[in-house]
Amino acid sequence: MIRQATHVDVEGIVEVHTQARTAYYVVGGLSADDLADPAQTQQRHDGWARAIQSPDRVVKCAVQDGKIVGILSMGRPYSPTIDAHMVGQLYQIHVIPSHWGNGIGARLHTSFVDYLTDSSLPTGLLEVWERNTRAQSFYRKLGWKPDGDRRPGPNGSDYVFLRLTAPAGDQPPQSAIRRPGH
């Protein structure tokens, strides 16, 4: 079941986020010890609590047998230079690694596409760590394409930006999804 997240869900959301990010960063070459910083866990907790309360964000949970096994966060573009009337940003999809490959991520992604459609947004935007080849493959299968932009990421590896044309959506002008300097 996929449902709207509430403040009660924060601990479960942080657990899913922590497990998923640790899995992909370790595969990408980062040390699990470097990722286990308690201050980062507290930052994730505070960030998710703010996201759930924010009028500019939508946070959803995938729940199985009463346990949160996946999360989705989406909303207005982070960059003020991107036209929020044309673009919705997929901030994060995370699924606990023990549930990878069971279709939970795809169902969460469908919720994002529904958000674009319901909001009359023709384009989705997301960023993914370039060493997270599993996520890149997942998004590519769902129709996402690199848009050519990047930003610095951990361990000398960039985050790459991908975009998706929503079903029946018109392609916005490239200037609607570019960041400053591009």
Side-chain angles (χ1 to χ4, degrees):
M1 172 180 71
I2 296 176
R3 63 168 173 73
Q4 190 73 30
T6 69
H7 189 69
V8 174
D9 298 319
V10 172
E11 293 301 325
I13 290 170
V14 170
E15 181 60 28
V16 169
H17 185 184
T18 299
Q19 284 187 38
R21 76 184 290 277
T22 299
Y24 67 76
Y25 278 137
V26 167
V27 168
L30 294 178
S31 162
D33 291 338
D34 292 340
L35 298 169
D37 180 359
Q40 287 184 7
T41 302
Q42 185 61 48
Q43 288 173 348
R44 281 192 294 282
H45 183 280
D46 295 347
W48 282 107
R50 282 190 307 274
I52 289 169
Q53 299 302 318
S54 173
D56 294 327
R57 293 233 182 152
V58 177
V59 179
K60 294 194 174 192
C61 299
V63 180
Q64 190 172 55
D65 299 324
K67 180 180 177 186
I68 297 172
V69 295
I71 52 178
L72 164 66
S73 178
M74 57 196 157
R76 300 172 55 84
Y78 281 134
S79 173
T81 64
I82 298 173
D83 185 350
H85 294 96
M86 300 295 286
V87 180
Q89 186 152 353
L90 192 165
Y91 303 127
Q92 300 179 60
I93 288 180
H94 295 293
V95 175
I96 57 173
S98 62
H99 286 65
W100 285 355
N102 292 326
I104 296 166
R107 286 191 292 279
L108 290 166
H109 184 267
T110 297
S111 288
F112 174 71
V113 172
D114 291 346
Y115 164 78
L116 292 177
T117 303
D118 293 347
S119 302
S120 299
L121 297 169
T123 301
L125 179 70
L126 70 84
E127 61 182 77
V128 61
W129 192 42
E130 68 184 344
R131 291 188 190 173
N132 190 347
T133 56
R134 188 175 204 290
Q136 288 186 52
S137 176
F138 170 79
Y139 290 119
R140 189 173 35 256
K141 289 176 187 173
L142 294 168
W144 291 83
K145 295 183 170 105
D147 80 354
D149 283 334
R150 335 170 60 81
R151 74 173 178 88
N155 208 26
S157 186
D158 289 344
Y159 290 102
V160 295
F161 288 85
L162 307 177
R163 66 182 160 119
L164 175 74
T165 301
D170 296 323
Q171 184 73 12
Q174 197 65 12
S175 61
I177 61 171
R178 291 283 175 207
R179 279 146 294 286
H182 296 274

